[in-house]
Amino acid sequence: MNCKLSLGSQKSMKNAAQNPKYSLIIPIYNEEETIPELYHRISKVMNRLDGLVELILVNDGSQDRSLKLIRELHQSDSRVSYLSLARNFGHQTAVTAGLNFARGQAVIILDADLQDPPELIPEMVDKWRQGYEVVYAQRLKRKQEGWFKRFSAYLFYRLLKRLADVNIPADTGDFCLMDRRVVNVLNAMPENNRYIRGLRAWIGFRQTAVKFERDPRFAGEVKYTFRKSFSLALNSLIAFSRVPLRLSTYLGLLSAAAALLMALLVLYWRLYQQNSPITGLATIMIAIFFLGSVQLVCLGILGEYIGRIYEEVKGRPLYTVAEIGGFKDSTIYHRTPQQSLISDVRQH
Ligand code: UDP
Ligand code: MG
């Protein structure tokens, strides 16, 4: 892997002259209402940055007019390139695709709905110049998000902090700046299950936070339904912690201890007491249901891990690309860690 990375960095040094200094990656799923305002605000920030900037819009299988708007932006502004995934692959995968294609020395990820204010980027760039390889944005407050979302996010990040093997900073999202070295490592990581803020924490290097207040979504509906958020939470817990597996061992030990205690009690009552309090069907039913459910929960936990092993061993590419615009042909290939070839892409 070292060899691969050093080759990559040699190549990137050679290309540095024509490569942009900054890459901004924005995943887009049905964001037709926000794209014009997003471009308006982001282009102001792009003009302020010192160096060549590329804006990579990743269309994640939108069903509305997003792709059309993206194409128009690409035609009117040469700094805008885009790729359009062949279907909806989900936020984390869309961002991964953008990372695979980005060429900048500093790569910035942000959401399309302006909940991650682009105006924070210059501050992140300052930190990068000071020598930090990862600058992540940390939410101080979530404005106008429902109590349930705020409460569940609060609980989840604390739980993750307790359980995960790496220290994933609480209240951070994917909004961050990463140095080319970190992006190279991220791109070389082979796993299919990509929880980017976790992988980013795992990689290490010098990391720091910039604080911000999270604005409400600019327009449109939240694209992360409860189901998607829940599945992201579960994925991250399982990808970064083996504690749930250990939980089944603990549950097993606990119920074994309870069974032993019961056996001793029953024996005692049988031998020394006339009227044993443990009689009848109800007790047996409770014991059966209790043990049955403990076993099912443990099986479920095992299943979660095995399912993910299955996903990983299949070794499928992370995504398929239907159309790209603004990338040179040479950058189309080698993209995913599995070296999958994304062929027959419509180039615009
Ligand atoms: N998004 C995506 N694919 C999806 C869902 C969301 O690319 O399947 C994008 C969406 O367009 C937005 C970002 O991911 O740019 C975050 O989505 P959203 O704002 O709905 O979620 P939040 O993080 O605010 O809950
Ligand atoms: Mg949002």
Side-chain angles (χ1 to χ4, degrees), residues 122-199:
E123 202 182 317
M124 293 170 136
V125 168
D126 276 347
K127 294 269 184 199
W128 176 60
R129 282 218 205 87
Q130 287 166 27
Y132 291 100
E133 277 95 357
V134 174
V135 187
Y136 52 83
Q138 195 162 31
R139 294 181 286 265
L140 286 173
K141 226 178 166 178
R142 289 164 175 265
K143 288 187 205 158
Q144 285 177 22
E145 280 183 307
W147 70 269
F148 182 72
K149 173 132 192 173
R150 287 206 313 260
F151 179 67
S152 53
Y154 179 86
L155 269 188
F156 165 70
Y157 284 112
R158 266 89 206 148
L159 186 72
L160 187 66
K161 215 175 167 61
R162 279 199 84 97
L163 297 189
D165 310 328
V166 286
N167 186 7
I168 303 173
D171 304 325
T172 59
D174 294 325
F175 186 21
C176 70
L177 177 151
M178 288 184 283
D179 185 76
R180 170 58 33 202
R181 289 160 76 191
V182 177
V183 176
N184 283 348
V185 179
L186 204 55
N187 285 342
M189 288 169 107
E191 55 242 79
N192 254 292
N193 183 1
R194 298 190 91 79
Y195 183 59
I196 290 170
R197 56 202 95 149
L199 298 177

Coordinates of all heavy atoms in Angstrom, one line a residue, residues 122-199:
P122 N -13.2 29.5 3.9 CA -11.9 30.2 4.1 C -11.3 30.0 5.4 O -10.0 29.9 5.6 CB -12.3 31.7 3.9 CG -13.5 31.6 3.0 CD -14.2 30.4 3.4
E123 N -12.1 29.9 6.5 CA -11.6 29.6 7.8 C -10.9 28.2 7.9 O -9.9 28.0 8.5 CB -12.7 29.7 8.8 CG -12.3 29.9 10.2 CD -13.5 29.9 11.2 OE1 -14.6 30.5 10.8 OE2 -13.4 29.3 12.2
M124 N -11.5 27.3 7.2 CA -11.0 25.9 7.1 C -9.6 25.9 6.4 O -8.7 25.3 6.8 CB -11.9 25.0 6.4 CG -13.2 24.7 7.1 SD -14.3 23.8 6.1 CE -15.0 22.6 7.2
V125 N -9.6 26.7 5.3 CA -8.4 26.8 4.5 C -7.2 27.4 5.3 O -6.1 27.0 5.3 CB -8.6 27.6 3.2 CG1 -7.3 28.0 2.5 CG2 -9.5 26.9 2.3
D126 N -7.6 28.4 6.2 CA -6.6 29.0 7.1 C -5.9 27.9 7.9 O -4.7 27.9 8.1 CB -7.2 30.0 8.0 CG -7.3 31.4 7.3 OD1 -6.7 31.5 6.2 OD2 -8.1 32.3 7.8
K127 N -6.8 27.1 8.5 CA -6.3 26.0 9.4 C -5.4 25.1 8.6 O -4.4 24.6 9.1 CB -7.5 25.2 10.0 CG -8.3 26.1 11.0 CD -7.8 25.9 12.4 CE -8.7 26.7 13.3 NZ -8.1 27.0 14.6
W128 N -5.8 24.8 7.4 CA -5.0 23.9 6.5 C -3.6 24.5 6.3 O -2.6 23.8 6.4 CB -5.8 23.7 5.2 CG -5.1 22.8 4.2 CD1 -4.6 21.6 4.3 CD2 -4.7 23.2 2.9 NE1 -4.0 21.1 3.2 CE2 -4.1 22.1 2.3 CE3 -4.8 24.4 2.1 CZ2 -3.6 22.2 1.0 CZ3 -4.4 24.4 0.8 CH2 -3.7 23.4 0.2
R129 N -3.6 25.8 6.1 CA -2.3 26.5 5.8 C -1.5 26.4 7.1 O -0.2 26.4 7.0 CB -2.6 27.9 5.5 CG -3.0 28.0 4.0 CD -2.4 29.3 3.4 NE -3.2 29.7 2.3 CZ -4.3 30.5 2.4 NH1 -4.5 31.0 3.6 NH2 -5.0 30.7 1.4
Q130 N -2.1 26.4 8.3 CA -1.3 26.3 9.5 C -0.8 24.9 9.7 O 0.0 24.7 10.6 CB -2.2 26.6 10.7 CG -2.6 28.1 10.8 CD -3.7 28.3 11.8 OE1 -3.9 27.5 12.7 NE2 -4.5 29.3 11.7
G131 N -1.1 24.0 8.8 CA -0.5 22.6 8.9 C -1.4 21.5 9.3 O -1.0 20.4 9.4
Y132 N -2.7 21.8 9.5 CA -3.6 20.7 9.8 C -4.0 19.9 8.5 O -4.4 20.6 7.5 CB -4.9 21.2 10.5 CG -4.6 21.7 11.9 CD1 -4.5 23.1 12.1 CD2 -4.5 20.8 12.9 CE1 -4.2 23.6 13.4 CE2 -4.2 21.3 14.2 CZ -4.1 22.7 14.4 OH -3.8 23.1 15.7
E133 N -4.0 18.6 8.6 CA -4.4 17.8 7.4 C -5.9 17.6 7.3 O -6.4 17.3 6.2 CB -3.7 16.5 7.3 CG -2.3 16.5 6.8 CD -1.2 16.7 7.9 OE1 -1.6 16.8 9.0 OE2 0.0 16.7 7.5
V134 N -6.6 17.6 8.5 CA -8.0 17.5 8.4 C -8.6 18.6 9.3 O -8.2 18.8 10.4 CB -8.5 16.1 9.1 CG1 -10.0 16.1 9.2 CG2 -8.0 15.0 8.2
V135 N -9.5 19.3 8.7 CA -10.2 20.4 9.4 C -11.7 20.1 9.3 O -12.3 20.2 8.2 CB -10.0 21.8 8.8 CG1 -10.6 22.9 9.7 CG2 -8.5 22.0 8.6
Y136 N -12.3 19.6 10.4 CA -13.8 19.3 10.3 C -14.6 20.4 11.0 O -14.1 21.0 11.9 CB -14.0 17.9 10.9 CG -13.5 17.7 12.3 CD1 -14.2 18.1 13.4 CD2 -12.3 17.1 12.5 CE1 -13.7 18.0 14.7 CE2 -11.8 16.9 13.8 CZ -12.5 17.3 14.9 OH -12.0 17.2 16.1
A137 N -15.8 20.5 10.5 CA -16.7 21.5 11.1 C -17.5 20.8 12.2 O -18.0 19.7 12.0 CB -17.6 22.0 10.0
Q138 N -17.6 21.5 13.3 CA -18.3 20.9 14.5 C -19.5 21.8 14.8 O -19.3 23.0 15.0 CB -17.3 20.8 15.6 CG -17.8 19.9 16.7 CD -16.7 19.5 17.7 OE1 -15.8 20.3 17.9 NE2 -16.8 18.3 18.3
R139 N -20.6 21.1 14.9 CA -21.9 21.9 15.1 C -22.0 22.3 16.6 O -21.8 21.5 17.5 CB -23.1 21.0 14.8 CG -23.3 20.6 13.4 CD -24.5 19.8 13.3 NE -24.3 18.4 13.9 CZ -24.0 17.4 13.1 NH1 -23.8 17.5 11.8 NH2 -23.9 16.2 13.7
L140 N -22.2 23.6 16.8 CA -22.5 24.1 18.1 C -24.0 23.9 18.4 O -24.4 23.6 19.5 CB -22.1 25.6 18.3 CG -20.6 25.9 18.3 CD1 -20.4 27.3 18.3 CD2 -20.0 25.2 19.6
K141 N -24.8 24.2 17.4 CA -26.2 24.2 17.5 C -26.8 23.8 16.2 O -26.3 24.1 15.2 CB -26.6 25.7 17.8 CG -27.6 25.9 18.9 CD -27.8 27.3 19.1 CE -28.7 28.1 19.7 NZ -28.4 29.5 19.6
R142 N -28.0 23.1 16.3 CA -28.7 22.8 15.1 C -29.9 23.7 15.1 O -30.8 23.6 16.0 CB -29.2 21.4 15.1 CG -28.1 20.4 14.9 CD -28.7 19.0 15.3 NE -27.8 18.0 15.0 CZ -27.7 17.2 13.9 NH1 -28.6 17.4 13.0 NH2 -26.9 16.3 13.8
K143 N -30.0 24.7 14.2 CA -31.1 25.6 14.2 C -32.4 24.9 13.6 O -32.3 24.4 12.5 CB -30.8 26.8 13.4 CG -29.8 27.7 14.1 CD -29.6 29.0 13.3 CE -28.3 29.7 13.6 NZ -27.9 30.6 12.6
Q144 N -33.5 25.1 14.3 CA -34.8 24.7 13.7 C -34.9 23.2 13.3 O -35.7 22.9 12.4 CB -35.1 25.5 12.5 CG -35.5 26.9 12.9 CD -35.8 27.8 11.8 OE1 -36.1 27.3 10.6 NE2 -35.8 29.1 12.0
E145 N -34.1 22.3 13.8 CA -34.3 20.9 13.5 C -35.2 20.4 14.7 O -35.1 20.8 15.8 CB -33.0 20.2 13.4 CG -32.4 20.4 12.0 CD -31.2 19.6 11.7 OE1 -30.2 19.7 12.5 OE2 -31.1 19.0 10.7
G146 N -36.1 19.4 14.3 CA -37.0 18.9 15.3 C -36.3 18.3 16.6 O -35.2 18.0 16.5
W147 N -37.1 18.3 17.7 CA -36.5 17.8 18.9 C -36.0 16.4 18.8 O -35.0 16.0 19.3 CB -37.4 18.0 20.1 CG -38.6 17.0 20.0 CD1 -39.8 17.3 19.5 CD2 -38.7 15.7 20.5 NE1 -40.6 16.2 19.6 CE2 -40.0 15.2 20.2 CE3 -37.8 14.8 21.2 CZ2 -40.4 13.9 20.5 CZ3 -38.2 13.5 21.5 CH2 -39.5 13.1 21.2
F148 N -36.8 15.6 18.0 CA -36.4 14.2 17.9 C -35.1 14.0 17.2 O -34.2 13.2 17.6 CB -37.5 13.4 17.1 CG -37.3 11.9 17.0 CD1 -37.4 11.1 18.1 CD2 -36.8 11.4 15.8 CE1 -37.1 9.8 18.0 CE2 -36.5 10.0 15.7 CZ -36.7 9.2 16.8
K149 N -34.9 14.7 16.1 CA -33.6 14.6 15.4 C -32.4 15.1 16.3 O -31.4 14.5 16.3 CB -33.7 15.5 14.1 CG -32.4 15.6 13.4 CD -32.5 15.3 11.9 CE -31.1 15.1 11.3 NZ -31.2 14.7 9.9
R150 N -32.7 16.2 17.0 CA -31.6 16.7 17.8 C -31.3 15.8 19.0 O -30.1 15.5 19.2 CB -32.0 18.1 18.4 CG -32.0 19.2 17.4 CD -31.8 20.6 18.1 NE -32.7 20.8 19.2 CZ -33.8 21.5 19.2 NH1 -34.2 22.0 18.1 NH2 -34.5 21.6 20.3
F151 N -32.3 15.2 19.6 CA -32.2 14.3 20.7 C -31.5 13.0 20.2 O -30.5 12.6 20.9 CB -33.5 14.1 21.3 CG -33.5 13.1 22.5 CD1 -32.8 13.5 23.7 CD2 -34.0 11.9 22.4 CE1 -32.8 12.6 24.8 CE2 -34.0 11.0 23.5 CZ -33.4 11.4 24.7
S152 N -32.0 12.5 19.1 CA -31.4 11.2 18.7 C -30.0 11.4 18.2 O -29.1 10.5 18.5 CB -32.3 10.5 17.6 OG -32.5 11.4 16.6
A153 N -29.7 12.5 17.6 CA -28.3 12.8 17.2 C -27.4 12.9 18.4 O -26.3 12.4 18.4 CB -28.2 14.0 16.3
Y154 N -27.9 13.6 19.4 CA -27.1 13.8 20.6 C -26.8 12.5 21.2 O -25.6 12.2 21.5 CB -27.9 14.7 21.6 CG -27.2 14.9 22.9 CD1 -26.4 16.0 23.0 CD2 -27.4 14.1 24.0 CE1 -25.7 16.2 24.2 CE2 -26.8 14.3 25.2 CZ -25.9 15.4 25.3 OH -25.2 15.6 26.5
L155 N -27.8 11.6 21.4 CA -27.6 10.3 22.0 C -26.7 9.5 21.2 O -25.7 8.8 21.7 CB -29.0 9.6 22.1 CG -29.8 9.7 23.4 CD1 -30.9 8.8 23.3 CD2 -28.9 9.5 24.6
F156 N -26.9 9.5 19.9 CA -26.1 8.6 19.0 C -24.6 8.9 19.1 O -23.8 8.1 19.2 CB -26.6 8.7 17.5 CG -25.6 8.1 16.6 CD1 -25.4 6.8 16.5 CD2 -24.9 8.9 15.7 CE1 -24.5 6.2 15.7 CE2 -24.0 8.4 14.9 CZ -23.8 7.0 14.8
Y157 N -24.3 10.2 19.0 CA -22.9 10.6 19.0 C -22.2 10.3 20.3 O -21.0 9.9 20.3 CB -22.7 12.1 18.6 CG -22.9 12.3 17.1 CD1 -23.9 13.0 16.7 CD2 -22.0 11.8 16.2 CE1 -24.1 13.2 15.3 CE2 -22.2 12.0 14.9 CZ -23.2 12.7 14.4 OH -23.4 12.9 13.1
R158 N -22.9 10.3 21.4 CA -22.3 10.0 22.7 C -22.1 8.4 22.8 O -21.1 8.0 23.3 CB -23.2 10.5 23.8 CG -22.7 11.8 24.4 CD -23.4 12.9 23.7 NE -22.7 14.2 23.7 CZ -22.8 15.0 22.6 NH1 -23.5 14.7 21.6 NH2 -22.2 16.2 22.7
L159 N -23.1 7.7 22.3 CA -23.0 6.2 22.3 C -21.8 5.8 21.4 O -21.0 5.0 21.8 CB -24.3 5.7 21.7 CG -24.4 4.1 21.8 CD1 -24.7 3.7 23.2 CD2 -25.6 3.7 20.9
L160 N -21.7 6.4 20.2 CA -20.6 6.1 19.3 C -19.3 6.3 20.0 O -18.3 5.6 19.9 CB -20.8 6.9 18.0 CG -19.8 6.5 16.9 CD1 -20.1 5.1 16.4 CD2 -20.0 7.5 15.7
K161 N -19.2 7.5 20.7 CA -18.0 7.8 21.3 C -17.5 6.8 22.4 O -16.4 6.4 22.5 CB -18.1 9.2 22.0 CG -16.9 10.1 22.0 CD -17.1 11.4 22.5 CE -15.9 12.2 22.7 NZ -15.0 12.4 21.6
R162 N -18.6 6.3 23.1 CA -18.3 5.3 24.1 C -17.8 3.9 23.5 O -17.0 3.3 24.0 CB -19.5 5.0 25.0 CG -19.7 6.1 26.0 CD -20.7 5.5 27.1 NE -19.9 4.7 28.0 CZ -19.5 5.1 29.2 NH1 -19.8 6.4 29.6 NH2 -18.8 4.4 30.0
L163 N -18.5 3.6 22.4 CA -18.3 2.2 21.9 C -17.2 2.1 20.8 O -16.6 1.1 20.7 CB -19.7 1.7 21.3 CG -20.8 1.6 22.2 CD1 -22.0 0.9 21.5 CD2 -20.5 0.8 23.4
A164 N -17.0 3.2 20.1 CA -16.1 3.0 18.9 C -14.7 2.9 19.3 O -14.2 3.4 20.3 CB -16.3 4.2 18.0
D165 N -13.9 2.1 18.5 CA -12.5 1.9 18.7 C -11.7 3.2 18.5 O -10.6 3.4 19.0 CB -11.9 0.8 17.8 CG -12.7 -0.4 17.8 OD1 -13.3 -0.7 18.9 OD2 -12.8 -1.1 16.8
V166 N -12.2 4.0 17.5 CA -11.4 5.3 17.3 C -12.3 6.4 17.8 O -13.5 6.3 18.0 CB -11.2 5.6 15.8 CG1 -10.2 4.7 15.2 CG2 -12.5 5.5 15.0
N167 N -11.6 7.5 18.1 CA -12.3 8.7 18.7 C -12.9 9.5 17.6 O -12.3 10.3 16.9 CB -11.2 9.5 19.5 CG -11.9 10.6 20.2 OD1 -13.1 10.7 20.3 ND2 -11.1 11.5 20.8
I168 N -14.2 9.3 17.4 CA -14.9 10.1 16.3 C -15.5 11.3 17.0 O -16.3 11.1 17.9 CB -16.0 9.2 15.7 CG1 -15.4 7.9 15.1 CG2 -16.8 10.0 14.6 CD1 -16.4 6.9 14.6
P169 N -15.1 12.5 16.7 CA -15.5 13.7 17.4 C -17.1 13.8 17.3 O -17.6 13.6 16.3 CB -14.8 14.8 16.7 CG -13.9 14.3 15.7 CD -14.2 12.8 15.6
A170 N -17.7 14.2 18.5 CA -19.1 14.3 18.5 C -19.6 15.5 17.7 O -18.8 16.4 17.5 CB -19.6 14.5 19.9
D171 N -20.8 15.4 17.2 CA -21.4 16.5 16.5 C -20.7 17.0 15.2 O -20.7 18.2 14.9 CB -21.7 17.7 17.4 CG -22.5 17.3 18.6 OD1 -23.4 16.5 18.4 OD2 -22.2 17.8 19.7
T172 N -20.0 16.1 14.6 CA -19.4 16.5 13.3 C -20.1 15.7 12.2 O -20.5 14.6 12.4 CB -17.9 16.1 13.3 OG1 -17.7 14.7 13.5 CG2 -17.1 16.8 14.3
G173 N -20.1 16.3 11.1 CA -20.7 15.6 9.9 C -19.6 15.4 8.9 O -18.5 15.2 9.3
D174 N -20.0 15.4 7.6 CA -19.0 15.1 6.6 C -18.4 16.5 6.2 O -17.4 16.5 5.4 CB -19.6 14.4 5.4 CG -20.0 13.0 5.8 OD1 -19.3 12.4 6.7 OD2 -21.1 12.5 5.4
F175 N -18.9 17.6 6.6 CA -18.4 18.9 6.2 C -17.0 19.0 6.7 O -16.8 19.2 8.0 CB -19.3 20.0 6.8 CG -19.0 21.4 6.4 CD1 -18.3 21.6 5.2 CD2 -19.5 22.4 7.2 CE1 -18.1 23.0 4.8 CE2 -19.3 23.7 6.8 CZ -18.5 24.0 5.6
C176 N -16.0 19.0 5.8 CA -14.6 19.1 6.3 C -13.7 19.4 5.1 O -14.1 19.4 4.0 CB -14.2 17.8 6.9 SG -14.0 16.5 5.6
L177 N -12.5 19.7 5.5 CA -11.4 19.9 4.5 C -10.4 18.8 4.8 O -10.1 18.6 5.9 CB -10.8 21.3 4.6 CG -9.6 21.6 3.7 CD1 -9.6 23.1 3.5 CD2 -8.3 21.2 4.3
M178 N -10.0 18.1 3.7 CA -8.9 17.1 3.9 C -7.8 17.4 2.9 O -8.0 17.8 1.8 CB -9.5 15.7 3.6 CG -10.4 15.3 4.7 SD -11.0 13.6 4.4 CE -12.2 13.9 3.1
D179 N -6.6 17.2 3.5 CA -5.4 17.3 2.6 C -5.3 16.2 1.6 O -5.8 15.1 1.9 CB -4.2 17.3 3.6 CG -2.9 17.6 2.8 OD1 -2.7 18.8 2.4 OD2 -2.1 16.7 2.5
R180 N -4.6 16.4 0.6 CA -4.4 15.4 -0.5 C -3.9 14.0 0.1 O -4.3 13.0 -0.3 CB -3.5 15.9 -1.5 CG -2.9 15.0 -2.6 CD -3.9 14.3 -3.5 NE -5.1 14.9 -3.8 CZ -6.2 14.2 -4.3 NH1 -6.2 12.9 -4.4 NH2 -7.3 14.9 -4.6
R181 N -3.0 14.1 1.1 CA -2.4 12.9 1.7 C -3.5 12.1 2.3 O -3.6 10.8 2.2 CB -1.4 13.2 2.8 CG -0.1 13.8 2.2 CD 0.6 14.5 3.2 NE 1.3 13.6 4.2 CZ 1.9 14.0 5.3 NH1 1.8 15.3 5.7 NH2 2.5 13.2 6.1
V182 N -4.5 12.7 3.0 CA -5.6 12.0 3.7 C -6.5 11.5 2.6 O -7.0 10.3 2.7 CB -6.3 13.0 4.6 CG1 -7.5 12.3 5.3 CG2 -5.3 13.5 5.7
V183 N -6.8 12.2 1.6 CA -7.7 11.8 0.6 C -7.1 10.5 -0.1 O -7.8 9.6 -0.4 CB -8.0 12.9 -0.5 CG1 -8.8 12.4 -1.6 CG2 -8.7 14.0 0.2
N184 N -5.8 10.5 -0.4 CA -5.2 9.4 -1.0 C -5.3 8.1 -0.1 O -5.6 7.0 -0.6 CB -3.7 9.6 -1.2 CG -3.4 10.5 -2.4 OD1 -4.3 10.8 -3.2 ND2 -2.2 11.0 -2.5
V185 N -5.2 8.3 1.2 CA -5.4 7.1 2.1 C -6.8 6.7 2.0 O -7.1 5.5 1.9 CB -5.0 7.5 3.5 CG1 -5.2 6.3 4.4 CG2 -3.5 7.9 3.6
L186 N -7.7 7.6 2.1 CA -9.1 7.3 2.1 C -9.5 6.5 0.8 O -10.2 5.5 0.8 CB -9.9 8.6 2.2 CG -11.3 8.6 2.7 CD1 -11.4 7.9 4.1 CD2 -11.9 10.0 2.8
N187 N -9.0 7.0 -0.3 CA -9.3 6.4 -1.6 C -8.7 5.0 -1.7 O -9.2 4.1 -2.4 CB -8.7 7.2 -2.8 CG -9.6 8.4 -3.0 OD1 -10.8 8.5 -2.6 ND2 -9.1 9.4 -3.7
A188 N -7.6 4.8 -0.9 CA -7.0 3.4 -1.0 C -7.6 2.4 0.0 O -7.3 1.3 -0.1 CB -5.5 3.6 -0.7
M189 N -8.5 2.9 0.8 CA -9.1 2.0 1.8 C -10.2 1.2 1.1 O -11.0 1.7 0.4 CB -9.8 2.8 2.9 CG -8.7 3.4 3.9 SD -9.4 4.5 5.0 CE -9.4 3.6 6.5
P190 N -10.1 -0.2 1.2 CA -10.9 -1.0 0.3 C -12.4 -1.2 0.8 O -13.1 -1.8 0.0 CB -10.1 -2.3 0.4 CG -9.5 -2.3 1.7 CD -9.2 -0.9 2.1
E191 N -12.7 -0.8 2.0 CA -14.1 -1.3 2.4 C -15.2 -0.6 1.7 O -15.2 0.5 1.3 CB -14.2 -1.1 3.9 CG -14.0 0.3 4.4 CD -12.9 0.3 5.4 OE1 -11.7 0.3 4.9 OE2 -13.1 0.3 6.6
N192 N -16.3 -1.5 1.6 CA -17.5 -1.0 0.9 C -18.4 -0.2 1.8 O -19.1 0.7 1.4 CB -18.3 -2.3 0.5 CG -18.2 -2.5 -0.9 OD1 -18.7 -1.8 -1.7 ND2 -17.5 -3.6 -1.3
N193 N -18.3 -0.5 3.1 CA -19.2 0.2 4.1 C -18.4 1.4 4.5 O -17.5 1.4 5.2 CB -19.4 -0.7 5.3 CG -20.3 -0.1 6.3 OD1 -20.8 1.0 6.1 ND2 -20.5 -0.8 7.4
R194 N -18.8 2.6 3.9 CA -18.0 3.8 4.1 C -18.8 4.8 5.0 O -19.7 5.4 4.5 CB -17.7 4.4 2.7 CG -16.9 3.4 1.9 CD -16.4 4.1 0.7 NE -15.1 4.7 0.9 CZ -13.9 4.0 0.9 NH1 -13.9 2.7 0.8 NH2 -12.8 4.6 1.1
Y195 N -18.3 4.9 6.2 CA -18.8 5.9 7.1 C -17.7 6.9 7.2 O -16.7 6.8 7.9 CB -19.1 5.3 8.5 CG -19.6 6.2 9.5 CD1 -20.8 6.9 9.2 CD2 -19.0 6.5 10.7 CE1 -21.3 7.8 10.2 CE2 -19.5 7.3 11.6 CZ -20.7 8.0 11.3 OH -21.2 8.9 12.3
I196 N -17.8 7.9 6.3 CA -16.6 8.8 6.0 C -16.1 9.5 7.3 O -14.9 9.5 7.5 CB -17.0 9.8 4.9 CG1 -17.1 9.0 3.6 CG2 -15.9 10.8 4.7 CD1 -17.6 9.7 2.5
R197 N -17.0 10.0 8.1 CA -16.4 10.7 9.3 C -15.7 9.8 10.2 O -14.7 10.2 10.9 CB -17.5 11.5 10.0 CG -18.7 10.8 10.4 CD -19.8 11.7 10.6 NE -20.7 11.7 9.4 CZ -22.0 11.9 9.4 NH1 -22.6 12.1 10.5 NH2 -22.7 11.9 8.3
G198 N -16.0 8.5 10.2 CA -15.3 7.5 11.0 C -14.0 7.2 10.4 O -12.9 7.1 11.1
L199 N -14.0 6.9 9.1 CA -12.7 6.6 8.4 C -11.7 7.7 8.5 O -10.5 7.5 8.7 CB -13.0 6.3 6.9 CG -13.9 5.1 6.6 CD1 -14.1 5.0 5.1 CD2 -13.3 3.8 7.1

